[in-house]
Amino acid sequence: ANPGARTTAMQYEKGRLQVDVALPDAQAAEALRDRLQAAKHTVKLEATNPKADGVDARFSLGGGAP
């Protein structure tokens, strides 16, 4: 679990799951990506966008190499 993390959107298309997550900061987004990769998931941190109370991060899972 990641304290302060909240899923804001999910979309599945062509074997790839895109997940948008609100997080406290960019380091939390990188840490989540690292934990997913350590669990043998194919994941890419597509973007982090700063906002007043943290960042919005977009992750892409599945569909080949990270």
Side-chain angles (χ1 to χ4, degrees):
N2 193 350
R6 183 173 50 86
T7 302
T8 58
M10 289 196 305
Q11 180 180 2
Y12 183 80
E13 186 176 328
K14 297 181 183 176
R16 200 147 187 81
L17 178 64
Q18 209 168 46
V19 182
D20 294 348
V21 182
L23 293 154
D25 53 40
Q27 292 80 14
E30 292 168 2
L32 179 55
R33 177 204 57 212
D34 293 346
R35 283 198 308 271
L36 289 167
Q37 287 176 340
K40 306 296 185 208
H41 295 286
T42 301
V43 62
K44 181 176 180 184
L45 178 56
E46 296 283 343
T48 56
N49 298 306
K51 57 182 190 167
D53 59 347
V55 297
D56 286 329
R58 173 165 287 164
F59 295 91
S60 184
L61 294 101

